[in-house]
Amino acid sequence: MNMQQADMRHIEFRNDRFVAALALSGYKTETLLYLARVVTLGSYHLPPP
C-alpha cells in the first residue's frame, strides 16, 4: 500500500520532520516511507531499522 492508498487523516511536510496520522482498522499495520533531506552541513548516519 502506498501513501495515496492509505487512509491519511493528517499530513505535514516540515523542514525538520514529517508528521502523519492514519486511520487504522483493528491491528492492521501500515508502512510509511519518507526521504530525509540534510539542511545543515555535517556527518550523517542512517539509523538502524
Side-chain angles (χ1 to χ4, degrees):
M1 175 172 288
N2 61 38
M3 286 176 44
Q4 285 103 9
Q5 296 170 330
D7 189 4
M8 304 292 284
R9 298 298 173 100
H10 177 82
I11 189 167
E12 294 178 37
F13 294 93
R14 303 279 181 117
N15 282 339
D16 61 342
R17 65 188 168 272
F18 171 73
V19 179
L22 292 90
L24 300 176
S25 59
Y27 291 98
K28 183 179 172 185
T29 61
E30 294 288 347
T31 300
L32 299 178
L33 303 174
Y34 65 96
L35 176 65
R37 179 174 57 107
V38 174
V39 294
T40 305
L41 294 176
S43 297
Y44 296 90
H45 303 280
L46 182 65

